[in-house]
Amino acid sequence: MGVTIKDVARETNLAISTISKYLNGGKVRKKNQKVIEDAIRKLNYTPNGMARGLRSSRTYRVGLIMGNNTNAHSSTLLKEIENRMRERGYFLIFLNNDYCVPRQTEEYVDFLVENGVDGMIITTIGKDLDYIRRAREADIPVVIMEECHTAVDTDCVQVDCTGGAYEVIEHLIKAGHRRIAAINGMDESQTAIERKKGYLRVMEDYGIPVNEDYMIQGDYKSESGYLGMKELWQRKERPTAVFAANYNTCIGVMEAVYELGIKVPEELSIVCFDDFELSVMVRPKLTAVCQPLTEMADAACELLIRRMNGDYDDYPRRIRLKPECIYRDSVLHMCGSPSKNGNKECRKKTDRDCGMIEKGK
Amino acid sequence: MGVTIKDVARETNLAISTISKYLNGGKVRKKNQKVIEDAIRKLNYTPNGMARGLRSSRTYRVGLIMGNNTNAHSSTLLKEIENRMRERGYFLIFLNNDYCVPRQTEEYVDFLVENGVDGMIITTIGKDLDYIRRAREADIPVVIMEECHTAVDTDCVQVDCTGGAYEVIEHLIKAGHRRIAAINGMDESQTAIERKKGYLRVMEDYGIPVNEDYMIQGDYKSESGYLGMKELWQRKERPTAVFAANYNTCIGVMEAVYELGIKVPEELSIVCFDDFELSVMVRPKLTAVCQPLTEMADAACELLIRRMNGDYDDYPRRIRLKPECIYRDSVLHMCGSPSKNGNKECRKKTDRDCGMIEKGK
DNA sequence: CTGAAAGCGCTAACAG
DNA sequence: CTGTTAGCGCTTTCAG
């Protein structure tokens, strides 16, 4: 450090402002351009971010507030966002709010507002989103990722969780399952609400009554999956399939399944919202809803960058991405077994050919 | 934003410099202290980090350059470091250098130096560590985590990888294994070198000749574990045990194991450097070397903070932490089986009681 | 203990 | 297109 724009000006016999202008993409005489470039290289000059930020009130820093758990979900999002932002010349300031704890989130948002970032991407739950408004008032754009709240008009990037849950549970139904349990997430989470809604809708569409005994209130953490699964297995009439509302829940389910010695998929089929990078280690391989993580990161970054550049044309924007179901080996195809819906027999035991049930009643 | 120290000065009828002094822990008349506090609260004033940084050349930002892969190793370190630094009032600027790619690391270090951080924690491999010197010259303390290079005198926090590998492989030997394969990391990595050294030492100490056919050159990535395992299984004389040099290598090994239908531990015992948070999902549960991640993060942060405060008393400091072996179910105890080393029979098939071989010849 | 003043490195009018 | 100039908000001498 130590070499400033002043030194470059002296070296080139140009005015400070000319250098500054050039540095910021302004037009300069061709000859001067070369002179400046040379001087910069020679002196090994780099602009001082602080001074720049102080003056222009642009910091080139963006905040990212999200959980950072040991799963592909967290690490992929973080990695992708960091990468994109750096490419665009922004620093990423990372703050971990664990499981989206609202109080932490609020503290961090205020922290970032006070300390000056150009924008932020956050994941959060809960309804009290005053802190989002505070950021807005400080003119700092915020993009909410994953958990989009209807309570606040904000830009957000979310996944069609309802659709994803619907599809993967429809897969169970088409495979002949009726006693389908769900271990859900907490009610403060929009994604959890949506996933549950997906469950309820598909059950309704196929005319399968929802058994409250099969609806477990979880909290997206593995313990709730573990306990939930144990509970389910004590029902007089056990479910033949279970839907785990997220990655961690599924981990817990698997743990219980191993402990209880349940055979998957023979005794129990499992589907999960969130895909496993480690799917290779898990037997049987799980049928799961895979979220478009890269696209989410992409979309959030692009949107935030546009806002930071003052482009608010389409504000507030709600981007909804489609997840993808990946069919693997954790679902037993019971086609051919008796069914109230009168579905015909399966010809083959593949995913595609098992869709014998007509939708609706 | 918008409210500055000037406003506080006006509100209190004090000089700007007095406010500043108070804010920085200087002494002020008791009465004034209260007045200032009140004004700050009333105006909701918060210091502008940029201006502060520009003037004092302290940024309260620290950089963290490390890979961010989907495993407990990465996510735990990141989480712990972020947490500690925030508690101490520092922002964490995170940069992902994937698998410690030296060129990326260099770019990022320079980037941080240019943009002003108070210090940084990095993980990196390779010998060319000029960029560390550059940071030093810019008076920015650097703590290297994990990969400590003898090539440069720097503060570092590392794990006794040699010892960890030694211990877990000794466990194999005591269980009666002789044909022990190792899938190693790349030669640019100090930790990989150490782990290999642990293997070689324990083999030497127990007088077991090293079979070059069982030494696989990997690169800490899962594919090298996968390919390595497949290769090993084609040897005319197959190994009875394999040591995976890190988490990802082990993932690859498991993948191959599943694909080849190898029974663990009956046909092959597996031990791994790095523990699995998901161990619960992996059958059998793996015997592994568990690194003290929290302590690493702790130590790195404490050391860096001391350096940032100008305390260089014990520079350069090399902190070496001890890992812990966790014995689970992936090792077959073959005690009682024929052995060239004349070890006696096992009484029980537990870890503790199986150590029948006398150390050394 | 308090206040006045200088200036950190840079950008953005504005005048030439 | 280039140069002059006035600060951004704060810390830090140095007098008072």
Side-chain angles (χ1 to χ4, degrees):
Chain A
M1 307 239 67
V3 31
T4 77
I5 200 172
K6 227 178 201 165
D7 299 310
V8 180
R10 192 178 315 117
E11 179 77 20
T12 55
N13 282 321
L14 286 166
I16 291 177
S17 55
T18 308
I19 314 292
S20 169
K21 192 181 178 190
Y22 173 68
L23 254 30
N24 291 290
K27 285 194 197 323
V28 183
R29 211 172 291 173
K30 259 265 167 60
K31 199 176 62 184
N32 286 337
Q33 174 173 337
K34 192 178 157 6
V35 175
I36 295 174
E37 285 286 9
D38 288 348
I40 287 176
R41 232 190 318 277
K42 180 181 165 196
L43 300 174
N44 195 22
Y45 165 77
T46 45
N48 177 318
M50 308 284 223
R52 208 174 221 183
L54 175 58
R55 188 55 236 234
S56 60
S57 68
R58 285 206 94 181
T59 64
Y60 296 98
R61 297 174 220 264
V62 306
L64 172 64
I65 304 176
M66 59 176 276
N68 176 42
N69 306 312
T70 307
N71 56 44
H73 192 85
S74 295
S75 59
T76 304
L77 285 176
L78 173 54
K79 198 185 294 191
E80 295 291 336
I81 290 173
E82 188 273 331
N83 198 40
R84 253 165 209 70
M85 282 306 185
R86 189 171 29 66
E87 280 174 3
R88 303 302 210 97
Y90 289 93
F91 284 96
L92 220 227
I93 292 175
F94 170 71
L95 295 165
N96 173 33
N97 66 352
D98 275 312
Y99 293 92
C100 297
V101 180
R103 274 192 44 188
Q104 275 187 46
T105 312
E106 172 161 15
E107 183 189 332
Y108 297 165
V109 169
D110 286 341
F111 182 64
L112 290 176
V113 169
E114 289 162 11
N115 279 276
V117 291
D118 290 349
M120 47 186 135
I121 296 175
I122 71 179
T123 60
T124 184
I125 61 172
K127 286 183 174 178
D128 174 24
L129 297 175
D130 262 358
Y131 52 89
I132 307 264
R133 289 192 199 89
R134 262 174 266 148
R136 175 94 32 80
E137 279 160 23
D139 243 334
I140 298 176
V142 176
V143 171
I144 299 185
M145 199 169 54
E146 304 205 69
E147 298 281 352
C148 288
H149 304 260
T150 41
V152 172
D153 276 342
T154 335
D155 290 312
C156 67
V157 175
Q158 60 184 183
V159 167
D160 175 11
C161 289
T162 307
Y166 190 106
E167 192 179 334
V168 78
I169 294 167
E170 184 174 39
H171 176 67
L172 287 173
I173 296 174
K174 287 188 172 178
H177 292 270
R178 291 299 171 275
R179 300 205 301 278
I180 301 171
I183 302 178
N184 299 300
M186 53 285 191
D187 289 337
E188 299 79 42
S189 161
Q190 283 297 128
T191 59
I193 292 170
E194 277 209 22
R195 290 167 201 192
K196 190 171 176 180
K197 195 187 288 174
Y199 174 95
L200 296 173
R201 275 192 193 164
V202 71
M203 295 293 269
E204 184 186 342
D205 288 356
Y206 280 91
I208 305 172
V210 171
N211 182 343
E212 279 304 323
D213 276 359
Y214 292 160
M215 297 296 276
I216 303 283
Q217 178 66 57
D219 61 5
Y220 273 0
K221 296 184 193 171
S222 67
E223 197 178 1
S224 75
Y226 176 78
L227 295 174
M229 190 58 234
K230 288 209 145 183
E231 199 181 323
L232 285 170
W233 213 239
Q234 287 172 4
R235 300 275 183 266
K236 61 252 115 193
E237 201 173 35
R238 288 173 173 163
T240 64
V242 62
F243 166 71
N246 82 336
Y247 182 96
N248 289 307
T249 304
C250 192
I251 300 264
V253 167
M254 295 298 281
E255 199 171 353
V257 158
Y258 280 127
E259 203 176 301
L260 296 168
I262 302 172
K263 286 210 186 68
V264 180
E266 294 79 1
E267 296 179 79
L268 179 74
S269 293
I270 299 178
V271 298
C272 170
F273 205 109
D274 282 333
D275 196 23
F276 283 63
E277 191 177 74
L278 257 59
S279 56
V280 74
M281 313 262 313
V282 179
R283 294 299 131 136
K285 292 189 174 180
L286 294 173
T287 287
V289 181
C290 180
Q291 301 197 52
L293 300 172
T294 304
E295 289 77 3
M296 282 166 73
D298 242 337
C301 290
E302 287 316 311
L303 190 52
L304 184 63
I305 286 170
R306 283 184 39 223
R307 298 300 182 237
M308 293 192 296
N309 289 330
D311 175 0
Y312 274 87
D313 282 354
D314 52 354
Y315 181 88
R317 178 83 185 279
R318 180 177 294 251
I319 297 175
R320 245 177 115 81
L321 270 19
K322 296 290 172 199
E324 186 194 2
C325 283
I326 301 184
Y327 303 100
R328 298 206 186 87
D329 316 320
S330 63
V331 172
L332 178 70
H333 293 265
M334 324 196 290
C335 309
S337 63
S339 155
K340 332 176 190 168
N341 285 4
N343 50 313
K344 304 155 200 153
E345 289 210 357
C346 263
R347 282 159 299 199
K348 284 197 218 162
K349 283 197 154 199
T350 68
D351 292 333
R352 292 298 161 212
D353 289 1
C354 250
M356 294 293 95
I357 307 171
E358 306 307 322
K359 186 164 173 174
K361 355 182 189 179
Chain B
M1 309 237 67
V3 32
T4 76
I5 200 171
K6 226 180 202 162
D7 300 308
V8 180
R10 192 179 313 117
E11 179 78 19
T12 57
N13 283 320
L14 287 166
I16 290 177
S17 53
T18 306
I19 314 292
S20 170
K21 192 183 180 190
Y22 173 69
L23 255 29
N24 291 290
K27 284 194 199 323
V28 183
R29 212 172 291 173
K30 259 263 166 64
K31 200 176 63 185
N32 285 338
Q33 175 173 338
K34 193 180 158 4
V35 175
I36 296 174
E37 285 287 7
D38 288 348
I40 287 177
R41 233 190 317 278
K42 180 181 165 194
L43 300 174
N44 194 21
Y45 165 77
T46 44
N48 178 316
M50 306 286 222
R52 205 172 223 186
L54 174 57
R55 191 54 236 239
S56 62
S57 68
R58 282 207 99 179
T59 63
Y60 296 96
R61 295 171 222 265
V62 306
L64 172 64
I65 305 177
M66 58 175 277
N68 176 42
N69 307 312
T70 307
N71 55 44
H73 192 85
S74 295
S75 59
T76 304
L77 285 177
L78 173 55
K79 199 185 292 189
E80 295 291 335
I81 291 173
E82 187 273 329
N83 198 39
R84 255 163 205 71
M85 283 306 186
R86 188 171 30 68
E87 279 173 3
R88 304 303 211 98
Y90 289 91
F91 285 96
L92 221 227
I93 292 176
F94 170 70
L95 295 164
N96 173 33
N97 66 350
D98 274 312
Y99 294 93
C100 297
V101 181
R103 274 191 45 188
Q104 275 187 44
T105 311
E106 172 160 14
E107 184 189 332
Y108 297 166
V109 169
D110 287 341
F111 182 64
L112 290 177
V113 170
E114 289 162 10
N115 280 276
V117 290
D118 291 348
M120 47 186 133
I121 296 174
I122 70 178
T123 60
T124 183
I125 60 172
K127 286 184 176 179
D128 175 24
L129 297 175
D130 262 359
Y131 52 90
I132 306 264
R133 290 192 198 87
R134 260 174 268 148
R136 176 92 34 79
E137 279 160 23
D139 243 334
I140 297 175
V142 176
V143 171
I144 299 186
M145 199 169 53
E146 304 206 71
E147 298 281 352
C148 288
H149 304 261
T150 41
V152 171
D153 276 340
T154 334
D155 290 311
C156 67
V157 174
Q158 60 184 183
V159 167
D160 175 12
C161 289
T162 306
Y166 190 107
E167 193 180 334
V168 77
I169 293 167
E170 185 175 37
H171 175 68
L172 287 172
I173 296 175
K174 287 188 171 177
H177 292 271
R178 292 298 173 275
R179 301 205 302 276
I180 302 171
I183 303 178
N184 300 300
M186 53 283 192
D187 289 336
E188 299 80 40
S189 160
Q190 283 296 128
T191 60
I193 292 169
E194 277 208 22
R195 291 168 200 194
K196 190 171 176 180
K197 195 188 287 173
Y199 173 94
L200 296 173
R201 276 192 192 164
V202 71
M203 294 294 269
E204 186 187 340
D205 287 355
Y206 280 90
I208 305 171
V210 171
N211 183 342
E212 278 304 322
D213 276 0
Y214 292 159
M215 298 296 276
I216 303 283
Q217 178 66 58
D219 61 5
Y220 273 180
K221 296 184 195 170
S222 68
E223 198 179 359
S224 75
Y226 176 79
L227 295 174
M229 189 61 233
K230 289 210 145 181
E231 200 180 322
L232 285 170
W233 214 239
Q234 287 171 6
R235 299 276 184 266
K236 59 254 112 184
E237 200 174 32
R238 288 171 174 166
T240 64
V242 62
F243 166 71
N246 81 337
Y247 182 97
N248 289 308
T249 305
C250 193
I251 300 264
V253 167
M254 295 298 283
E255 198 170 354
V257 158
Y258 280 126
E259 202 175 302
L260 296 168
I262 303 171
K263 285 207 186 69
V264 181
E266 294 80 1
E267 295 180 81
L268 179 74
S269 294
I270 299 178
V271 297
C272 171
F273 205 107
D274 283 335
D275 195 24
F276 283 64
E277 189 177 77
L278 259 60
S279 57
V280 74
M281 314 262 313
V282 178
R283 293 299 131 133
K285 292 188 173 181
L286 293 173
T287 288
V289 181
C290 180
Q291 301 196 51
L293 300 172
T294 305
E295 289 77 3
M296 283 166 72
D298 242 336
C301 291
E302 287 316 311
L303 191 52
L304 184 64
I305 286 170
R306 283 183 40 220
R307 298 301 182 237
M308 292 192 296
N309 288 330
D311 175 1
Y312 273 87
D313 282 353
D314 52 354
Y315 182 86
R317 178 82 185 279
R318 181 177 295 249
I319 296 175
R320 248 177 112 80
L321 270 19
K322 297 291 171 196
E324 184 193 5
C325 283
I326 301 184
Y327 303 101
R328 298 203 186 87
D329 316 321
S330 64
V331 172
L332 177 69
H333 294 266
M334 325 195 290
C335 308
S337 65
S339 153
K340 327 176 191 167
N341 286 4
N343 51 314
K344 304 155 201 152
E345 289 209 358
C346 264
R347 282 160 301 198
K348 285 197 216 158
K349 283 198 155 197
T350 69
D351 292 333
R352 294 297 160 209
D353 290 0
C354 250
M356 296 292 95
I357 306 169
E358 306 306 323
K359 187 164 174 176
K361 352 180 187 180

